[in-house]
Amino acid sequence: MFEIEDPETTDKGTFYASLARQARALLEGESDPVANAANLAALIFHQLPNLNWAGIYFLRDQELVVGPFQGQPACVRIALGRGVCGSAAAARETIVVEDVDEFPGHIPCDSASRSELVVPLIDADDRLVGVLDLDSPSTGRFDREDAEGVELLARCYTDSLSG
Ligand code: SME
């Protein structure tokens, strides 16, 4: 296992590059989507500061269904286009929400969540397989650098699916 940089003293680019190396090492040699989602959610939740939820929603029959996560119990099904997760999935684009109260249609799962980052998971065949969702109890927790860093982690996951 690699040493992960200290997020308090390292710039975000270096921190996420180091976390992505750790994610690749963790997922390498395994292509089971549930197993790898579980390990990625645990890695993110325990390494990224100031989160209250981190997990994966899988696309199943044109709706999102909760997969492995760390945090409080969450809503199970989210329609495409609904909430932050469904909007990111429908647009196939990362969404950073500085303040969940300002996002129309935000679906509150944990009332502690104040900001959110959702990254779509798109596999090597350009198919949407789900989304990676991070919640924070702090307003404005995620910026562009976090979005890019978590996109890197999302790619570690989708790359692992093809073995
Ligand atoms: N807040 C999300 C729902 C999922 S939970 O945050 C775990 C949304 O609006 O899509």
Side-chain angles (χ1 to χ4, degrees), residues 16 22 26 81 94 107 110-111 119 128 138 141 147:
Y16 280 109
Q22 174 98 7
L26 192 61
T94 296
I107 302 166
D110 181 346
S111 61
V119 174
L128 179 78
S138 301
R141 159 69 180 82

Side-chain angles (χ1 to χ4, degrees), residues 10-140:
T10 314
D11 70 89
K12 281 188 183 178
T14 306
F15 172 71
Y16 280 109
S18 144
L19 196 53
R21 278 196 299 280
Q22 174 98 7
R24 286 205 186 272
L26 192 61
L27 308 183
E28 197 172 37
E30 180 55 68
S31 60
D32 183 274
V34 174
N36 284 353
N39 266 338
L40 183 66
L43 179 74
I44 290 174
F45 189 75
H46 290 286
Q47 296 302 334
L48 280 187
N50 204 13
L51 300 183
N52 60 307
W53 203 91
I56 274 106
Y57 276 86
F58 292 120
L59 183 66
R60 297 270 181 267
D61 298 327
Q62 292 309 300
E63 68 179 346
L64 296 172
V65 179
V66 77
F69 66 89
Q70 303 268 315
Q72 295 290 345
C75 31
V76 174
R77 291 175 189 273
I78 299 176
L80 287 183
R82 295 280 318 283
V84 188
C85 291
S87 300
R92 295 164 64 109
E93 275 176 12
T94 296
I95 298 183
V96 177
V97 178
E98 281 204 12
D99 180 350
V100 295
D101 291 336
E102 303 293 321
F103 188 93
H106 167 258
I107 302 166
C109 288
D110 181 346
S111 61
S113 299
R114 300 268 41 98
S115 59
E116 187 159 352
L117 167 60
V118 180
V119 174
L121 297 168
I122 296 167
D123 72 9
D125 297 319
D126 204 36
R127 281 189 301 243
L128 179 78
V129 296
V131 298
L132 176 55
D133 179 18
L134 311 189
D135 286 21
S136 169
S138 301
T139 305

